[in-house]
């Protein structure tokens, strides 16, 4: 059982009362009374605080955090111990004392004596806000040796997602109740997987404003977006690998689909910073823990699509020919035993979106003149799909050498962006990031090049209606938005993961719900 704990971080008991009720309504399973946030603190105030918190009938953790470990106000050390001892006397369910302070003989004596007369359980905590502990397992063993009944709480900052695996391993091998997860954006996933791996609690805030630690998520997001109430040890995990990744709509989309089919599956954002080496290390961490971490598939985005090709070629199982030709994998499936296969669904997603909006079959693009703007990963997928059906493709790109090399590979034409003004194609596809939020006033296509009768497709999907599409619509051109491509490539991914797909309406509703 993993309890969902909500810290109450209020400057006085009056403010705390509002937070307590909000946390209870949001679905908190334990409240952590962070008494260090109180501006005025004494044992009388603690009793009033406990009285107020008990009105919602949830288990309580009383914490008076030392500033050295992230405390809010610098209350004197003696007072902090008075608060812990008083909380024990008042039968708080749990008290949290920093392990470093517990090692002081007077603190240990007072806390241990109070605990002897109470049902309160002791949490002994250690935090590292700068990075990993030198020896996480050693620290856990040390705490258990110092106080075998204690719940060790070991929280550290992940400077890279690969740091999280040490926390996962400790949870996996747990012999006692313990609380282990990572802070920071790279540690985000550990707060969610804490439930799958049986951490005693994971912490979430009432709302974003009241987060008490870096990377803390709100209860609502954890429950609604990340299927908290459905997670257990058997949950199969999927995720989107990229950097940055916070903006991705994929977790909302896939989790909505899992929800609709009541599947024991979860989809998480995975911030994998760095290049090939860090990507390979991440995949090695996943694969070597395949039998209990249960990652079954990934979407792959910037900057790792080419890294995923290299990884599957060297260490994986099956690499789809199309993905190899494009040089980009956006979908990884992890088979049982940890064998990883790579696919590209951007190509099918783009082609399907284009022909559906044009009301034609793929083969009717034969000899149709198409201008593809950009020469990056998505352009490669789009050019591969278009040249495969014999479209007359010209690639326009800021960096001319990249356009030339892509054109040579796929036997098509190329030019610089300055030539777009003279371009007279039937179909234009923007595959650059121009126009993407927050730079929504940019467009990859000069307005004067647009004419009625043209089909203008912007692969950018945030916003759904980019400046380029607004200008095209105004000139009477047919438009195709990037969300249509996103939905179709996600459908193809779902089919690869699951074997079947029957959730277009849910995907559509979720994508447009997130983006509009
Ligand atoms: P990428 O590999 O980084 O390529 C980016 C391309 O954009 C390059 O050709 C680059 O030109 C060009 N570019 C970037 N900034 C520019 C600027 N200021 N002026 C002119 N050209 C610029 O990225 P990608 O993976 O191909 O993704 C491109 C876009 O596709 C994304 O931003 C996203 O909006 C969209 N996308 C859509 C979907 C979907 O499902 N709808 C899926 C994935 C991606 P240089 O070669 O000169 O650098």
């Amino acid at each position: 059982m993993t309890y969902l704990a909500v810290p109450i971080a209020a400057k006085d008991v009056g403010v705390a009362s509002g937070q307590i009720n909000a946390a209870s309504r949001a679905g908190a399973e334990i409240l952590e009374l962070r008494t260090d946030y109180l501006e005025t603190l004494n044992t009388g105030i603690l009793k009033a605080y406990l009285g107020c918190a008990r009105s919602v009938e949830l288990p309580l953790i009383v914490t008076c955090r030392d500033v050295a470990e992230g405390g809010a106000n610098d209350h004197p050390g003696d007072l902090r111990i008075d608060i812990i001892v008083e909380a024990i006397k008042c039968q708080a369910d749990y008290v949290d004392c920093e392990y470093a302070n517990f090692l002081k003989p007077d603190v240990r004596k007072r806390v241990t004596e109070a605990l002897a007369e109470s049902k309160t359980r002791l949490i002994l905590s250690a935090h590292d806000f700068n990075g990993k502990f030198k020896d996480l397992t050693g620290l856990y063993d040390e705490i258990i040796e110092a106080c075998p009944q204690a719940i060790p709480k070991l929280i550290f900052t992940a400077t890279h997602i690969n740091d999280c695996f040490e926390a996962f391993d400790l949870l996996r091998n747990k012999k006692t109740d313990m609380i282990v997860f990572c802070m920071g954006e790279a540690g985000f996933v550990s707060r969610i997987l804490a439930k799958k791996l049986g951490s005693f609690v994971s912490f979430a805030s009432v709302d974003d404003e009241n987060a008490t630690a870096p990377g803390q998520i709100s209860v609502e997001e954890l429950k609604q977006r990340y299927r908290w109430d459905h997670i257990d040890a058997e949950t199969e995990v999927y995720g989107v690998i990229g950097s940055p990744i916070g903006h991705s709509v994929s977790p909302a989309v896939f989790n909505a689909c899992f929800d609709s089919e009541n599947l024991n599956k979860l989809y998480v954002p995975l911030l994998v910073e760095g290049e090939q080496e860090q990507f390979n290390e991440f995949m090695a961490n996943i694969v070597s823990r395949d039998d209990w971490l249960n990652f079954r598939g990934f979407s792959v985005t910037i900057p790792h699509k080419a890294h995923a090709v290299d990884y599957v070629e060297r260490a994986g199982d099956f690499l789809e020919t199309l993905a190899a030709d494009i040089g980009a994998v956006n979908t990884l499936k992890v088979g049982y035993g940890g064998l990883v296969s790579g696919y590209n669904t951007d190509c099918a997603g783009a082609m399907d979106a284009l022909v559906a909006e044009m009301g034609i079959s793929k083969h009717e693009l034969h000899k149709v003149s198409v201008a593809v703007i950009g020469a990056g990963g998505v352009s490669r997928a789009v050019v591969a799909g278009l040249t495969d059906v014999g479209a007359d493709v010209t690639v326009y790109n800021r960096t001319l050498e990249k356009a030339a090399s892509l054109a040579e590979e796929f036997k098509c034409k190329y030019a610089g962006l300055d030539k777009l003004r003279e371009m007279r194609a039937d179909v234009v596809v923007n595959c650059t990031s121009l126009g993407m939020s927050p730079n929504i006033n940019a467009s990859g296509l000069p307005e004067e090049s647009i004419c009625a009768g043209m089909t203008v497709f912007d692969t950018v999907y945030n916003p759904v209606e980019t400046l380029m599409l607004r200008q095209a619509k105004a000139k009477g051109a047919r438009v195709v938005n990037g969300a249509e491509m996103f939905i179709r490539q996600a459908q193809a991914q779902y089919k690869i993961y699951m074997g079947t797909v029957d959730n277009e309406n849910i995907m559509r509703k979720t994508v447009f719900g997130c983006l509009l």
Side-chain angles (χ1 to χ4, degrees), residues 479-499:
V479 298
V480 186
N481 66 56
E484 289 297 333
M485 169 180 165
F486 180 86
I487 291 161
R488 286 173 165 85
Q489 64 78 31
Q491 288 262 289
Q493 286 188 328
Y494 199 91
K495 190 156 184 220
I496 289 167
Y497 299 150
M498 250 39 97

Side-chain angles (χ1 to χ4, degrees), residues 314-392:
R314 286 167 197 266
D317 185 14
F318 165 75
L319 178 64
E320 184 192 41
T321 313
L322 176 72
D325 289 349
I326 296 170
V329 156
N330 78 328
T331 309
L332 291 170
K333 181 174 178 165
V334 187
Y336 292 92
L339 283 175
V340 180
S341 307
Y343 307 82
N344 186 298
T345 68
D346 282 335
C347 178
M351 293 296 285
D352 290 353
L354 181 61
V355 298
E357 291 296 318
M358 290 178 79
I360 59 171
S361 80
K362 255 187 350 188
H363 298 286
E364 287 174 86
L365 285 169
H366 187 68
K367 297 227 162 98
V368 170
S369 67
V370 186
V372 174
I373 312 171
V378 169
S379 307
R380 293 182 66 81
V382 168
V383 170
L386 289 168
T387 51
D388 185 50
V389 294
D392 175 16

Side-chain angles (χ1 to χ4, degrees), residues 196-369:
K196 176 177 167 64
L197 301 174
S199 176
F200 187 65
V201 301
S202 187
F203 292 85
S205 58
V206 177
D207 51 41
D208 294 340
E209 259 173 46
N210 285 298
T212 52
Q216 202 174 79
I217 183 174
S218 74
V219 180
E220 190 189 354
E221 202 181 354
L222 203 49
K223 283 181 170 265
Q224 310 270 314
R225 178 158 298 182
Y226 296 109
R227 313 195 72 220
W228 178 261
D229 294 331
H230 303 271
I231 301 172
D232 61 26
E234 307 303 317
T235 301
E236 293 189 333
V237 192
Y238 296 77
V240 53
I241 300 174
S243 175
I245 207 60
H247 65 287
S248 175
V249 298
S250 296
V253 170
F254 283 91
N255 284 325
C257 294
F258 295 156
D259 240 4
S260 74
E261 293 181 59
N262 204 14
L263 297 173
N264 192 1
K265 295 177 190 291
L266 166 72
Y267 189 104
V268 290
L270 299 158
L271 174 69
V272 178
E273 290 170 301
E275 297 298 328
Q276 185 77 56
E277 187 186 338
Q278 290 76 15
F279 178 86
N280 289 352
E281 197 185 326
F282 173 77
M283 290 306 298
N285 277 322
I286 293 287
V287 164
S288 61
R289 294 164 178 81
D290 180 65
D291 56 335
W292 53 273
L293 210 44
N294 308 117
F295 270 88
R296 300 269 65 93
F298 301 97
S299 309
V300 183
T301 186
I302 294 173
H304 294 304
K305 288 183 186 179
H307 303 151
V309 175
D310 188 82
Y311 172 80
V312 178
E313 273 176 343
R314 286 167 197 266
D317 185 14
F318 165 75
L319 178 64
E320 184 192 41
T321 313
L322 176 72
D325 289 349
I326 296 170
V329 156
N330 78 328
T331 309
L332 291 170
K333 181 174 178 165
V334 187
Y336 292 92
L339 283 175
V340 180
S341 307
Y343 307 82
N344 186 298
T345 68
D346 282 335
C347 178
M351 293 296 285
D352 290 353
L354 181 61
V355 298
E357 291 296 318
M358 290 178 79
I360 59 171
S361 80
K362 255 187 350 188
H363 298 286
E364 287 174 86
L365 285 169
H366 187 68
K367 297 227 162 98
V368 170
S369 67

